[in-house]
Amino acid sequence: MAFRRCARTVWSVESSLMSPDQHNAVEFAGTHVVAELHGIAPARLDDPQFLRDTLRAALSAAGATVCEVIEHRFEPQGVTVLALLAESHASVHTYPELGSAFVDVFTCGPSADPELAVRLFADALGAEVSGHRAIPRGPATVRRLTESVGAGLTRTWELSEVLHEADTDFQHVVIGRTEQGVSLFCDDERQSTEATQLIYHEALLVPALLLAEQVRRVLVIGSSEGVVSQIAVAAGAESVDHVDIDKAAVQACATYLPYGYSAPELKAADRGDGPVRIHYRDGWEFLAEAAAAGRRYDVVVIDLPDENDDPEAQHNRLYGKDFLLRCAEVLADGGVLACQIGCPTVWRNDTLRRGWLRFIETFGTVIYYGSDEHEWAFLSARVDRLTDAVSELIGRLPASSYRPVTIDELALIRGTVPPHSIRHPVA
């Protein structure tokens, strides 16, 4: 079948007649999404008409203009479907014997959403998505992501390559290469980078490890990358329950981040094969069940995106006093709760000040730790009251079974002094 060329707004045939200056004025930019789909009924993958109709419907619903769709069935099985779009093209290659398909959708301009097209097509097939990548195309290869860092303040990240971009059931996840290495963003907020992730994760967990009477059982809520679980095991934990509601985000981290879980390690944690066991659950519900079952933990870690003012943000309830009381209920004697609590800068410290008040109302001992090489603050807390908790924590560092790379005695001395706004709160 011959293709009829649809009208396009970029790089049309007529562009070959343009002068060099006119050529340079044309903006050519697009996004090429490639994905692997698995777990599909073989009959669907061997049905050319079904695949053709389903691809057309997904593309149209995502805003693309479908010019032509053709398909070819191979013997003894398998189908290839090609779609010519006004915005570019799409293709599907199926392998019924594997229950898998390979999909790519390339669109130029703002009218079509290739991410949505792939997601709609996968949903129609009842497929699981893996190997997902969104690749910027065209001369403007640097993707810019704007992150809010306070009221009226933003910073811009330049991503030289987007390794993964997808909407999960809970958030928008982007993993890409920045000047700080491979970096993770959720809902346009930086969560971790290759260059600074160890500074962050050690600041979160090391003070709690030193404050706890023992480290045998650890519960981690959030922390999709898996670094906290790995540090806990290195510190001697015999059992780590890692609870994260967003399975897709955890899997993306294991696939694309060079730190935290590798893909084989995550599969082992899925099976409970080793000290780490992952649970794709709501943290609130998991804690309730743990308390009812009498399970106790030496360290509980809360590592979530910042509390915010969005009433739809489900993670906000995991910062409230009721949740802290629930955490306290599952702590063993001498156990410690560790929490990422926000940023100490005066233009973004509302979360920190609110969290500090909740902690001191709930726990007998609360220790602040602000990393001297990062912008975030953390709290570690015990139910009982210790006379000089900071000195005790510092004194345990030389004998610790986990040797931190980014924290020494001087860092602990400096970092455990809360900022002025906490030591002298203004009513």
Side-chain angles (χ1 to χ4, degrees):
M1 176 183 290
F3 283 107
R4 298 192 308 275
R5 183 169 179 82
C6 285
R8 295 187 57 187
T9 57
V10 292
W11 291 114
S12 64
V13 173
E14 290 79 7
S15 69
S16 62
L17 304 178
M18 292 179 181
S19 69
D21 289 342
Q22 288 173 313
H23 252 305
N24 292 336
V26 176
E27 292 186 2
F28 174 75
T31 302
H32 198 155
V33 176
V34 295
E36 299 172 17
L37 311 184
H38 303 288
I40 308 167
R44 288 187 164 185
L45 296 176
D46 208 31
D47 184 337
Q49 188 63 49
F50 169 79
L51 293 167
R52 175 176 176 157
D53 293 345
T54 302
L55 180 61
R56 179 186 288 274
L59 292 166
S60 297
T65 303
V66 181
C67 303
E68 198 100 41
V69 182
I70 63 170
E71 78 284 333
H72 177 79
R73 185 183 184 280
F74 296 91
E75 294 296 339
Q77 57 189 349
V79 178
T80 290
V81 183
L82 300 176
L84 176 65
L85 311 176
E87 297 78 11
S88 195
H89 73 269
S91 68
V92 178
H93 307 278
T94 75
Y95 294 83
E97 67 275 21
L98 302 176
S100 300
F102 296 86
V103 181
D104 79 275
V105 180
F106 176 31
T107 65
C108 300
S111 61
D113 183 346
E115 295 271 7
L116 177 59
V118 171
R119 187 165 69 251
L120 292 173
F121 184 74
D123 289 347
L125 269 64
E128 295 181 4
V129 181
S130 68
H132 175 284
R133 294 184 67 185
I135 307 164
R137 302 288 298 272
T141 57
V142 176
R143 163 82 175 274
R144 288 178 172 83
L145 189 152
T146 300
E147 177 186 14
S148 174
V149 293
L153 296 173
T154 62
R155 63 181 164 210
T156 300
W157 293 81
E158 292 187 352
L159 282 68
S160 59
E161 181 182 6
V162 176
L163 303 175
H164 173 82
E165 183 168 10
D167 287 313
T168 73
D169 290 337
F170 303 96
Q171 57 195 332
H172 184 72
V173 177
V174 176
I175 299 174
R177 299 187 190 280
T178 72
E179 285 298 315
Q180 295 186 23
V182 180
S183 306
L184 168 67
F185 301 86
C186 294
D187 290 335
D188 292 337
E189 184 171 275
R190 183 276 320 273
Q191 300 301 312
S192 61
T193 74
E194 190 173 356
T196 63
Q197 62 82 18
L198 190 60
I199 296 171
Y200 174 93
H201 289 109
E202 287 192 339
L204 168 65
L205 188 56
V206 167
L209 295 174
L210 297 173
L211 189 61
E213 292 301 323
Q214 59 185 4
V215 182
R216 291 186 303 180
R217 298 197 66 191
V218 174
L219 171 61
V220 180
I221 299 174
S223 200
S224 303
E225 304 96 330
V227 178
V228 169
S229 299
Q230 294 174 327
I231 293 176
V233 172
E238 300 167 4
S239 172
V240 178
D241 283 322
H242 181 184
V243 179
D244 197 302
I245 197 171
D246 197 339
K247 181 177 181 179
V250 175
Q251 291 177 330
C253 289
T255 302
Y256 296 102
L257 295 181
Y259 49 92
Y261 296 134
S262 66
E265 288 170 339
L266 181 59
K267 288 182 179 179
D270 276 333
R271 299 190 303 267
D273 182 12
V276 179
R277 177 68 181 272
I278 191 151
H279 311 264
Y280 297 113
R281 299 278 310 281
D282 176 80
W284 183 281
E285 294 174 358
F286 187 92
L287 270 179
E289 293 176 8
R295 294 197 297 273
R296 297 294 180 265
Y297 295 93
D298 300 306
V299 178
V300 174
V301 183
I302 305 173
D303 183 23
L304 302 168
D306 244 9
E307 182 182 9
N308 58 50
D309 297 325
D310 181 0
E312 301 296 322
Q314 64 87 28
H315 71 274
N316 281 344
R317 61 193 175 128
L318 305 189
Y319 282 101
K321 188 171 181 180
D322 288 345
F323 188 71
L324 296 183
L325 290 170
R326 185 164 286 187
C327 290
E329 192 176 358
V330 301
L331 288 176
D333 291 341
V336 175
L337 171 64
C339 182
Q340 186 280 114
I341 202 64
C343 181
T345 56
V346 294
W347 54 83
R348 194 179 176 170
N349 65 359
D350 287 348
T351 300
L352 172 59
R353 290 188 288 109
R354 290 196 302 264
W356 174 263
L357 292 175
R358 292 176 191 144
F359 266 72
I360 62 174
E361 289 172 357
T362 307
F363 296 94
T365 299
V366 179
I367 292 180
Y368 170 91
Y369 186 74
S371 172
D372 56 0
E373 294 181 299
H374 214 286
E375 61 193 36
W376 298 108
F378 310 88
L379 298 180
S380 297
R382 285 176 50 155
V383 174
D384 55 336
R385 186 179 298 276
L386 301 180
T387 303
D388 191 355
V390 171
S391 295
E392 192 165 335
L393 178 149
I394 294 171
R396 291 176 177 177
L397 179 62
S400 173
S401 56
Y402 176 77
R403 306 302 300 167
V405 177
T406 67
I407 293 177
D408 57 16
E409 182 178 343
L410 288 176
L412 287 174
I413 292 172
R414 175 196 178 281
T416 49
V417 177
H420 188 273
S421 60
I422 286 181
R423 289 182 284 115
H424 302 284
V426 177

